[in-house]
């Protein structure tokens, strides 16, 4: 017997009247049956496709794509039961349309769920009483453990009051104050009209989502990511996919389940630290003057100049003796050959390109058709004078070592960045050149792009050596077979053709190193807490997104180091022109009692700060006390609240426990908690940075704020 999808508490008994929920009950049961049928079908088809064998080429690609499609569909179907349904809307013609996390149709073709991202679902989120968009009422479900524990109705026209529960707004407001967990809660069913309009904005160009604490910026960004992947398949089908950049590891852990819950598990999540190997151990820059100076540098231009400094052609002519002829290369020819590299290639990749041009130039001087070019090539590769001259003129470089030389050699830095003053060059010098800081990461990233990974080059050299050795061995076998061929057609001579050579090139070859999965290019990048990025950090992201398609999320009032210009001016400075600005001004998270205390803190430092208006009150005033009260405050709250998460902000010595986090003000960005306890907030810092840290920390709470001094 099917389980009743409705499981409302006793105090909501009035909402269980058959007239209110019977049609929903029947529809949800049909959804449950269809889901099971489709799970079984997808699992069976996936097993069949995996058993299929496909030859190389298009057939193999098609098979892999089908495996990926079926696997993704099965993951969505297995992730949810009937809670895949968000709610329903009733049109002015009386049709009930149910909205789901994904679309669903019964075996007979009946539409059971409309995907929330489909245009047909837009009125469910966008309709208001002022603009009902052709619907008369909307119902949203609250789910727990796969069953409906509450629902609320919104009547958008006078006709919508029939058959509706009329506690709509109070139920919605109450849902905003529900207990938090270590993961961002599911809010898809409660997306508001102003948020939905931003979510459905196309990907072309850059979109800035600007809003104060609790306005749902992150929610909008994540749901827009899922919507774009659905509405614009090009982003994943050859477009590079999508990257989400968060402020810290705590944030990534907090939001990592959101996109999979929306049916998307292809988005890569990262922090700026993760974009370079050195980020794992990098520390804060000790001297703020050094941090500011590095932030203002153009990493791409600086590393291009550094790479060019190592690309110096030999300044003398050379004669190379070979068994077939004496080969010559003049000083002018060296210079010309050194200019043949593809400008888009990295230094290390271009090194191989130029070396091949040098070899071809010399091979062409051997006027003997009986001499195989690969024999001449092998001879030249073993000539110490030639290879030594080339290696000195174009050495294989390690990117991090080049950056380290900038900080250890004032003369080299002055050569690569002549715009720096002597005092600035001296300021950037340090004894331990490879003691990496966060300010170094954009330059290290630019170095990896401009210099290239030497290990990839070495791997390619090993691959080429294996191919050359295999070709040489096979060539000897072919020579023997051709010489031994006594047939009239001399069929063995075909083995010397180009087709046979192409086949042999793959024999015993080592696998090619796969590119860094975070190196891009990406079709779209989502950046949260973007107000904190420096010019140099922005260039790290621009290098990964040539299309300049961004979702940029931030609040100028939460910039720890100030943000006095407009978003338009700020982004234009790093090469993003004509961004669309979308502003959110309603605070759904933070109670009015807390915002009344937090607003003066930030407005004292930033008079025009965009402080959002809270939509609800918690009924709990902001409390103050002494630091010695910390333990009693926490234990009292934990005893009274079996659910929810608390956070102590500002006490590095506090050890986190079950349902209690311990963070710095900066580390708490993007997160939310039921209870926030600030420890000595006056000591968070001076000036603007201190004010921003206090404001950010205060507005992390969804219920209670306690300040201990």
């Amino acid at each position: 017997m099917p389980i009743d999808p409705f499981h409302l508490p006793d105090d909501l008994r009035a909402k269980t009247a058959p007239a209110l929920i019977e049609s929903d009950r029947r529809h949800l049961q049909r959804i449950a049956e269809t889901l099971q049928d489709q799970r079984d079908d997808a699992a069976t088809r996936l097993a069949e496709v995996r058993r299929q064998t496909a030859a190389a080429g298009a057939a193999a690609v098609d098979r892999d794509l089908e495996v990926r499609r079926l696997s993704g569909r099965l993951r969505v179907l297995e992730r949810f039961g009937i809670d895949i349904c968000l709610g329903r809307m009733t049109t002015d013609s009386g049709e009930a349309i149910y909205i789901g996390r994904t679309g669903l149709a019964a075996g007979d073709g009946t539409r059971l769920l409309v995907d929330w991202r489909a245009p047909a679902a837009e009125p469910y989120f966008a309709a208001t009483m002022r603009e009902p968009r052709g619907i008369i009422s909307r119902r949203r479900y609250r789910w727990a453990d796969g069953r409906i524990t509450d629902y609320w109705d919104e009547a958008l026209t006078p006709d919508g009051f029939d058959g509706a529960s009329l506690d709509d707004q109070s139920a919605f407001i109450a849902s905003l104050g529900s207990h938090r967990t270590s993961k961002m809660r599911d809010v898809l069913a409660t997306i508001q009209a102003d948020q939905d309009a931003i979510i459905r904005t196309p990907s072309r160009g850059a979109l800035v989502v600007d809003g104060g604490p609790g306005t749902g910026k992150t929610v909008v960004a994540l749901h827009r990511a899922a919507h774009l992947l659905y509405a614009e398949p090009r982003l994943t089908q050859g477009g590079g996919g999508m990257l989400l950049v968060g402020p810290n590891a705590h944030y990534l852990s907090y939001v990592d389940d959101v996109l999979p819950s929306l049916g998307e598990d292809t988005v890569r999540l990262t922090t700026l630290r993760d974009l370079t190997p050195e980020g794992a151990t990098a520390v804060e820059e000790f001297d703020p003057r050094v941090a500011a100076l590095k932030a203002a540098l153009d990493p791409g231009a600086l590393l291009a100049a550094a790479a060019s400094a190592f690309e110096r052609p030999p300044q003398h002519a050379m004669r190379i003796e070979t068994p077939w002829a004496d080969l010559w290369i003049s000083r002018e020819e060296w210079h010309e050959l050194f200019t043949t590299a593809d400008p888009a290639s990295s230094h290390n990749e271009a090194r191989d390109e130029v070396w091949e041009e040098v070899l071809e130039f010399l091979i062409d001087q051997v006027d003997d058709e009986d001499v195989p070019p690969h024999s001449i090539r092998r001879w030249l590769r073993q000539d110490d004078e030639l290879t030594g001259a080339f290696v000195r003129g174009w050495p294989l470089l390690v990117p991090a070592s080049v950056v380290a030389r900038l900080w250890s050699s004032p003369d080299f830095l002055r050569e690569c960045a002549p715009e720096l003053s002597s005092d600035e060059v001296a300021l950037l010098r340090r004894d331990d050149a490879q003691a990496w800081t966060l300010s170094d990461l954009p330059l290290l990233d630019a170095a990896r792009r401009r210099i290239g990974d030497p290990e990839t080059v070495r791997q390619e050299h090993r691959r080429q050596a294996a191919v050359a050795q295999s070709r040489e061995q096979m060539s000897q076998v072919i020579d023997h077979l051709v010489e031994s061929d006594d047939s009239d057609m001399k069929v063995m001579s075909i083995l010397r053709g180009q087709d046979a050579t192409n086949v042999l090139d793959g024999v015993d070859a080592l696998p090619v190193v796969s590119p860094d999965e975070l190196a891009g290019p990406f079709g779209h990048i989502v950046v949260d807490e973007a107000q904190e990025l420096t010019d140099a950090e922005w260039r790290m992201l621009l290098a990964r997104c040539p299309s300049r398609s961004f979702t940029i999320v931030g609040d100028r009032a939460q910039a720890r180091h100030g943000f006095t210009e407009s978003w338009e001016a700020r982004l234009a400075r790093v090469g993003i022109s004509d961004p669309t600005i979308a502003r959110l001004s309603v605070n759904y998270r933070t109670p009015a009692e807390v915002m009344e205390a937090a607003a003066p803190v930030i407005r004292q430092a930033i008079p025009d700060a965009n402080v959002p208006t809270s939509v609800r009150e918690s009924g709990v005033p902001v409390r103050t006390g002494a630091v010695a009260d910390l333990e009693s405050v926490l234990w009292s709250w934990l005893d009274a609240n079996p659910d929810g998460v608390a956070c102590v902000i500002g006490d590095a010595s506090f050890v986190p426990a079950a349902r209690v986090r311990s963070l710095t003000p900066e580390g708490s960005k993007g997160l939310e908690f039921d209870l926030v306890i600030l420890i000595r907030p006056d000591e968070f810092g001076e000036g603007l940075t201190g004010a921003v840290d206090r404001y950010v920390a205060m507005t992390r709470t969804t219920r209670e704020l306690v300040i201990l001094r």
Side-chain angles (χ1 to χ4, degrees):
M1 182 175 178
I3 297 175
D4 188 345
F6 287 89
H7 186 63
L8 276 63
D10 289 341
D11 59 342
L12 297 178
R13 186 179 299 276
K15 286 188 170 185
T16 63
L20 294 175
I21 65 173
E22 187 57 35
S23 61
D24 284 359
R25 179 181 284 122
R26 290 193 301 269
H27 195 85
L28 290 167
Q29 287 175 350
R30 190 172 185 191
I31 287 174
E33 295 166 359
T34 302
L35 282 172
Q36 189 57 54
D37 290 343
Q38 294 197 4
R39 287 189 202 103
D40 295 342
D41 180 64
T44 300
R45 291 170 61 195
L46 179 59
E48 291 174 350
V49 174
R50 282 175 169 163
R51 284 194 297 268
Q52 294 174 0
T53 57
V61 171
D62 290 344
R63 175 186 175 275
D64 290 344
L65 289 174
E66 183 65 4
V67 167
R68 186 179 305 174
R69 186 189 70 80
L70 288 170
S71 297
R73 179 62 176 172
L74 189 57
R75 280 194 298 271
V76 172
L77 293 171
E78 290 180 336
R79 184 182 183 92
F80 294 99
I82 54 175
D83 53 351
I84 200 169
C85 180
L86 304 173
R88 63 169 165 82
M89 58 183 177
T90 303
T91 68
D92 48 17
S93 65
E95 180 187 8
I97 299 175
Y98 289 80
I99 310 301
R101 297 176 183 278
T102 186
L104 188 71
D108 62 2
T110 302
R111 181 178 61 180
L112 301 179
L113 290 174
V114 174
D115 192 301
W116 71 273
R117 296 168 290 189
E122 185 174 357
Y124 179 79
F125 301 97
T128 63
M129 294 186 71
R130 179 176 297 177
E131 190 177 352
R133 306 286 292 271
I135 68 174
I136 61 174
S137 68
R138 169 173 50 207
R139 172 169 291 182
R140 305 177 193 259
Y141 300 135
R142 181 187 297 171
W143 294 93
D145 299 324
R147 301 177 75 182
I148 297 171
T149 58
D150 196 4
Y151 66 87
W152 58 95
D153 294 326
E154 297 165 87
L156 301 172
T157 69
D159 293 337
F161 286 95
D162 293 335
S165 175
L166 301 181
D167 61 346
D168 52 332
Q169 195 63 20
S170 61
F172 168 65
I173 297 299
S175 74
L176 300 176
S178 59
H179 285 293
R180 267 40 177 187
T181 68
S182 60
K183 299 293 185 181
M184 176 176 277
R185 67 195 182 99
D186 180 11
V187 298
L188 178 55
T190 59
I191 293 292
Q192 298 298 289
D194 58 338
Q195 298 171 329
D196 184 71
I198 301 171
I199 289 169
R200 295 178 188 273
T201 304
S203 68
R204 183 178 179 82
L207 170 69
V208 177
V209 184
D210 177 86
T215 54
K217 301 185 299 297
T218 298
V219 166
V220 166
L222 294 171
H223 287 72
R224 183 181 190 231
H227 184 270
L228 288 177
L229 291 170
Y230 171 88
E232 303 185 25
R234 64 174 182 79
L235 292 175
T236 51
Q237 297 174 2
M242 188 177 293
L243 182 70
L244 169 65
V245 182
N248 52 58
H250 299 297
Y251 168 93
L252 296 185
S253 176
Y254 183 58
V255 305
D256 67 358
D257 196 48
V258 174
L259 286 165
S261 76
L262 299 173
E264 300 295 344
D265 57 4
T266 62
V267 179
R268 300 200 180 280
L269 276 62
T270 187
T271 67
L272 288 169
R273 274 183 181 272
D274 300 329
L275 296 179
T276 62
E278 298 81 5
T281 57
V283 298
E284 290 281 355
E285 194 75 59
F286 176 75
D287 189 335
R289 298 174 300 167
V290 174
L293 186 53
K294 289 180 180 178
L297 292 172
D298 183 339
L302 179 58
L303 269 300
S308 296
F310 289 97
E311 299 165 3
R312 304 286 174 85
Q315 298 300 303
H316 57 84
M318 183 178 298
R319 184 183 70 175
I320 301 97
E321 296 180 358
T322 76
W324 311 280
D326 286 350
L327 312 181
W328 289 87
I329 182 169
S330 68
R331 177 177 178 273
E332 292 73 24
E333 288 164 340
W334 273 119
H335 278 265
E336 183 177 349
L337 288 166
F338 266 52
T339 65
T340 58
D342 184 346
S345 298
S346 69
H347 167 90
N348 289 335
E349 292 171 337
R351 178 179 186 268
D352 281 358
E353 295 172 7
V354 172
W355 177 235
E356 288 301 316
E357 290 292 334
V358 171
L359 295 179
E360 289 295 330
F361 173 79
L362 294 171
I363 290 170
D364 287 345
Q365 295 180 35
V366 178
D367 189 17
D368 188 342
E369 295 182 356
D370 293 332
V371 180
H374 68 265
S375 298
I376 307 172
R377 185 183 303 273
R378 184 173 65 253
W379 181 279
L380 293 174
R381 287 181 181 277
Q382 295 173 351
D383 187 283
D384 292 340
E385 184 181 6
L386 175 64
T387 57
F390 181 77
V391 167
R392 288 189 295 273
W394 201 304
L396 188 66
L397 299 176
V398 177
S401 297
V402 176
V403 178
R405 186 172 178 182
L406 290 169
W407 308 149
S408 61
S409 172
D411 290 341
F412 183 60
L413 178 58
R414 199 174 289 111
E415 176 186 352
C416 298
E419 72 277 8
L420 294 176
S421 68
S422 297
D423 289 343
E424 289 172 331
V425 170
L427 188 63
L428 290 173
R429 187 186 181 283
R430 66 185 183 214
D431 294 332
D432 187 352
Q434 295 201 31
W436 304 119
T437 68
L438 295 178
S439 301
D440 292 325
L441 300 187
L443 291 107
L444 289 163
D445 185 64
R448 287 176 65 83
R449 291 180 177 278
R450 182 60 184 85
I451 304 299
D453 182 3
E455 185 53 37
T456 301
V457 175
R458 295 188 186 102
Q459 184 90 344
E460 176 61 18
H461 288 174
R462 290 193 288 270
R463 188 192 72 82
Q464 291 177 359
V467 170
Q469 181 181 9
S470 184
R471 181 187 295 173
E472 179 65 21
Q473 293 172 348
M474 191 59 69
S475 178
Q476 294 174 8
V477 173
I478 290 172
D479 288 344
H480 174 72
L481 291 172
V482 172
E483 291 171 4
S484 305
D485 185 7
D486 57 3
S487 66
D488 293 338
M489 300 293 293
K490 299 295 182 182
V491 294
M492 288 298 177
S493 61
I494 195 174
L495 294 174
R496 285 179 172 158
Q498 187 60 46
D499 288 343
T501 301
N502 291 340
V503 171
L504 294 174
D505 281 353
V507 176
D508 295 334
L510 296 171
V512 178
V513 176
S514 61
D516 182 351
E517 64 180 18
L518 295 177
F522 292 94
H524 189 83
I525 296 182
V526 180
V527 191
D528 209 345
E529 301 294 346
Q531 74 278 353
E532 301 292 1
L533 269 62
T534 65
D535 287 5
E537 289 169 337
W538 267 115
R539 290 188 172 98
M540 293 175 75
L541 301 182
L542 291 172
R544 287 166 168 80
C545 191
S547 67
R548 300 295 193 267
S549 178
F550 283 90
T551 298
I552 299 167
V553 183
D555 177 14
R556 295 167 60 246
Q558 295 185 60
R560 299 183 74 244
H561 303 293
F563 197 131
T564 57
E565 57 197 330
S566 67
W567 278 109
E568 291 90 341
R570 173 75 186 86
L571 295 173
R573 194 168 71 239
V574 295
I576 300 177
S577 59
D578 300 321
T580 299
I581 312 297
R583 291 184 169 83
L584 296 171
S585 58
V586 177
N587 188 334
Y588 297 102
R589 176 180 66 215
T590 315
E593 295 89 341
V594 174
M595 289 308 300
E596 288 174 6
V601 171
I602 195 63
R603 282 188 171 139
Q604 185 174 3
I606 308 175
D608 65 341
N610 177 19
V611 178
T613 302
S614 296
V615 299
R616 65 188 177 90
E617 298 178 354
S618 67
V620 180
V622 175
R623 292 185 287 158
T624 59
V627 174
D629 299 332
L630 173 59
E631 188 171 332
S632 63
V633 170
L634 265 179
W635 280 112
S636 296
W637 184 84
L638 289 169
D639 287 342
N641 295 272
D643 298 310
V645 180
C647 186
V648 176
I649 300 179
D651 184 356
S653 65
F654 180 79
V655 179
R659 297 202 295 127
V660 183
R661 305 285 297 278
S662 177
L663 296 171
T664 64
E666 187 176 8
S668 70
K669 277 196 168 184
L671 308 180
E672 56 186 17
F673 309 94
D674 297 273
L675 168 68
V676 168
I677 303 175
L678 303 190
I679 306 298
R680 298 189 180 95
D682 294 340
E683 299 178 9
F684 284 1
E686 302 293 331
L688 176 63
T689 300
V692 168
D693 282 351
R694 284 186 284 275
Y695 178 61
V696 168
M698 294 174 76
T699 55
R700 296 308 93 196
T701 182
T702 65
R703 291 189 173 196
E704 300 179 50
L705 174 64
V706 178
I707 301 174
L708 304 180
R709 294 186 170 89

